[in-house]
């Protein structure tokens, strides 16, 4: 089992690769779930929960909580950070 912060960072990284990774362009379906960090983040959280359940979320309810946690944090981070660093609006 891993700690919660590590789990969040793994989910965020995986979500960014699923949504924006150029390496997946040839095989990425044209479905909304693969274009949205919120949608992809949820499914990524469920996926990683089955492989690496965080210590605090190691029950069935934790499975869905992991999906929601991953979706929320992936979406939030993607709104404040881009390839150039922090997004700063004038």
């Amino acid at each position: 089992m891993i700690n919660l912060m590590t789990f969040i960072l793994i989910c965020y990284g995986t979500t960014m690769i699923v949504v924006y990774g150029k390496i997946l362009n040839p095989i990425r379906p044209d479905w909304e779930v693969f274009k949205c960090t919120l949608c992809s983040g949820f499914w990524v959280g469920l996926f990683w929960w089955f492989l690496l359940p965080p210590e605090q979320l190691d029950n069935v309810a934790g499975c869905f909580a992991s999906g929601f946690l991953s979706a929320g944090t992936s979406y939030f981070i993607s709104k404040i950070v881009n390839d150039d660093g922090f997004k700063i609006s004038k």
Side-chain angles (χ1 to χ4, degrees):
M1 288 204 228
I2 61 173
N3 70 42
L4 208 51
M5 184 56 74
T6 303
F7 181 79
I8 289 169
L9 292 173
I10 289 169
C11 289
Y12 171 70
T14 306
T15 301
M16 293 301 104
I17 290 170
V18 167
V19 175
Y20 300 113
K22 289 181 183 176
I23 195 166
L24 295 179
N25 283 348
I27 62 169
R28 184 181 297 115
D30 192 32
W31 302 340
E32 183 63 29
V33 72
F34 292 102
K35 297 177 182 178
C36 169
T37 55
L38 192 63
C39 305
S40 291
F42 177 79
W43 295 107
V44 165
L46 292 183
F47 171 79
W48 282 116
W49 181 86
F50 282 104
L51 296 179
L52 305 166
E55 295 172 9
Q56 297 89 343
L57 302 171
D58 61 356
N59 55 33
V60 176
C63 175
F64 290 100
S66 294
F68 298 135
L69 175 68
S70 173
T73 55
S74 294
Y75 180 77
F76 176 74
I77 295 171
S78 73
K79 291 299 176 189
I80 63 170
V81 177
N82 63 19
D83 290 347
D84 298 321
F86 285 101
K87 295 178 183 179
I88 300 171
S89 53
K90 297 178 182 180

